[in-house]
C-alpha cells in the first residue's frame, strides 16, 4: 500500500507541474534578441590642452604649450575656447559655444599640466583645415535582431 501511495503521489506531482506548461512552436513564435557588440571606431577630434592663468607684473596671462597652433582648443578655467590666430605674445580666441572673439595675452611654456592631451570635440570628415588627432574609441553597439 505504501508503494502504491508513493507512486500515485509522484504521478500527481508530475501531472500538476505539466498543467501550467505551454508548448510553443518555434516556427510560429519569434523572439527578439539583443546583441551587444563592442567595436572600435576611429574619430577625428580637435587637439585640446589645458591652459593655466599666471600673474606676471600684475597682469594675468595664459600659460600655453610651446607648439600651440590655430585650431586648437584650450580649456581655460571653466570654459573651452578655440584658437583662431596665434601671435608672438597673444592669441585670438572665441568660445567653443559660438561667442565673440577676444585677444588674450600668453606665455609659451611646456608644463606638466598643459602637456596632457584631453578629449577635444569631434570634427567633420570633410574638414581639412583644422588640426586634429585620429582617436580609436571603443563603442558599445546594441542591435535588436529577430532570431529564428
Amino acid at each position: 500500500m505504501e508503494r502504491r501511495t508513493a507512486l500515485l503521489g509522484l504521478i500527481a506531482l508530475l501531472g500538476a507541474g505539466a498543467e501550467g506548461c505551454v508548448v510553443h512552436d518555434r516556427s510560429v513564435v519569434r523572439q527578439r534578441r539583443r546583441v551587444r557588440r563592442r567595436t572600435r571606431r576611429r574619430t577625428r577630434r580637435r587637439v585640446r590642452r589645458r591652459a593655466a592663468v599666471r600673474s606676471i607684473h600684475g597682469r594675468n596671462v595664459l600659460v600655453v604649450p610651446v607648439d600651440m597652433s590655430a585650431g586648437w582648443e584650450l580649456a581655460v578655467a571653466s570654459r573651452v575656447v578655440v584658437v583662431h590666430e596665434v601671435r608672438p605674445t597673444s592669441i585670438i580666441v572665441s568660445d567653443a559655444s559660438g561667442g565673440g572673439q577676444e585677444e588674450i595675452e600668453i606665455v609659451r611654456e611646456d608644463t606638466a599640466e598643459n602637456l596632457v592631451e584631453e578629449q577635444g570635440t569631434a570634427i567633420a570628415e570633410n574638414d581639412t583645415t583644422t588640426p586634429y588627432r585620429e582617436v580609436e574609441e571603443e563603442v558599445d553597439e546594441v542591435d535588436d535582431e529577430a532570431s529564428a
Side-chain angles (χ1 to χ4, degrees):
M1 188 80 163
E2 291 179 25
R3 194 182 289 170
R4 183 183 296 171
T5 313
L7 189 58
L8 288 175
L10 183 62
I11 292 173
L13 281 175
L14 290 176
E19 286 178 17
C21 293
V22 178
V23 178
H24 293 285
D25 186 11
R26 285 199 180 267
S27 63
V28 176
V29 177
R30 298 185 73 138
Q31 293 180 349
R32 306 246 347 135
R33 199 177 89 177
R34 270 200 170 170
V35 177
R36 290 183 184 255
R37 293 186 195 116
R38 189 166 207 127
T39 60
R40 297 181 72 83
R41 182 176 296 157
R42 296 181 75 90
T43 57
R44 296 166 37 134
R45 296 192 171 275
R46 283 187 188 263
V47 178
R48 182 184 292 179
R49 300 280 175 90
R50 184 161 298 282
V53 178
R54 184 183 296 166
S55 180
I56 298 178
H57 300 294
R59 296 187 319 201
N60 290 336
V61 295
L62 284 182
V63 179
V64 297
V66 174
D67 60 346
M68 184 191 61
S69 65
W72 279 28
E73 290 180 334
L74 294 176
V76 181
S78 62
R79 65 184 183 140
V80 175
V81 294
V82 177
V83 178
H84 287 282
E85 185 180 340
V86 179
R87 298 179 180 164
T89 59
S90 65
I91 55 175
I92 306 282
V93 298
S94 69
D95 278 343
S97 61
Q101 292 186 348
E102 63 179 300
E103 185 173 348
I104 301 175
E105 294 186 32
I106 62 166
V107 172
R108 291 175 179 258
E109 182 181 320
D110 286 335
T111 62
E113 184 180 349
N114 68 12
L115 285 179
V116 176
E117 191 164 326
E118 297 177 357
Q119 185 176 12
T121 57
I123 61 172
E125 289 293 325
N126 58 0
D127 187 0
T128 58
T129 59
T130 305
Y132 65 90
R133 301 271 194 256
E134 227 173 72
V135 181
E136 279 194 10
E137 299 173 339
E138 288 191 7
V139 180
D140 288 337
E141 293 180 351
V142 178
D143 294 331
D144 289 334
E145 293 182 349
S147 62

